[in-house]
Amino acid sequence: GNVARKRRKKILAFASGYKGAHSVLFRVANQQVMKALRYSYIGRKQKKRIFRRLWISRINAAARLNGTSYSKLIHQFKIAKIDLNRKMLSQLVVLDAPTFKVLSARQK
């Protein structure tokens, strides 16, 4: 009936742009949409981890240029009560390296 058609059209609309039968046949499209939704859910969780790793590697590279390691730098920041998160520290490294250099030099 009407409800089933709406449901199928919704799934097929989701699957538009998929290759071959994956965008045409309901059963195959449904499987692909379910798989895509699973991956998108997982991807939203992974994105947070991946970006944190990127920020840490950037901070570590800049810290080593300034003669210290990432872990020692973060430890010194905690002692000095400098509450900049890793995202902001990596932004400093990329966009304002002299300021990061001053901050890390103070922590030695």
Side-chain angles (χ1 to χ4, degrees):
N2 193 30
V3 176
R5 188 179 335 105
K6 273 187 172 176
R7 180 175 62 89
R8 289 191 201 107
K9 278 188 75 171
K10 186 172 70 175
I11 295 292
L12 286 170
F14 253 121
S16 70
Y18 292 3
K19 276 191 168 182
H22 292 190
S23 65
V24 181
L25 304 177
F26 173 73
R27 282 175 118 174
V28 186
N30 195 31
Q31 289 173 347
Q32 289 305 306
V33 166
M34 293 304 149
K35 189 172 190 174
L37 290 171
R38 263 199 309 275
Y39 275 123
S40 69
Y41 176 81
I42 293 166
R44 288 193 295 275
K45 309 300 170 217
Q46 286 175 338
K47 184 168 63 172
K48 296 166 181 65
R49 296 177 214 151
I50 291 167
F51 270 102
R52 185 181 164 97
R53 282 176 60 186
L54 174 68
W55 299 329
I56 287 173
S57 60
R58 282 179 179 170
I59 296 165
N60 189 26
R64 288 184 187 278
L65 286 175
N66 294 320
T68 183
S69 71
Y70 166 79
S71 59
K72 288 176 185 165
L73 183 73
I74 293 294
H75 179 64
Q76 293 302 320
F77 279 171
K78 283 200 167 42
I79 290 171
K81 291 188 172 58
I82 296 175
D83 290 329
L84 283 172
N85 62 22
R86 284 151 184 82
K87 182 178 180 179
M88 291 302 114
L89 282 171
S90 95
Q91 285 294 90
L92 266 179
V93 167
V94 172
L95 300 174
D96 196 5
T99 306
F100 182 81
K101 193 169 188 168
V102 168
L103 271 176
S104 59
R106 280 198 188 155
Q107 302 315 313
K108 286 185 184 175

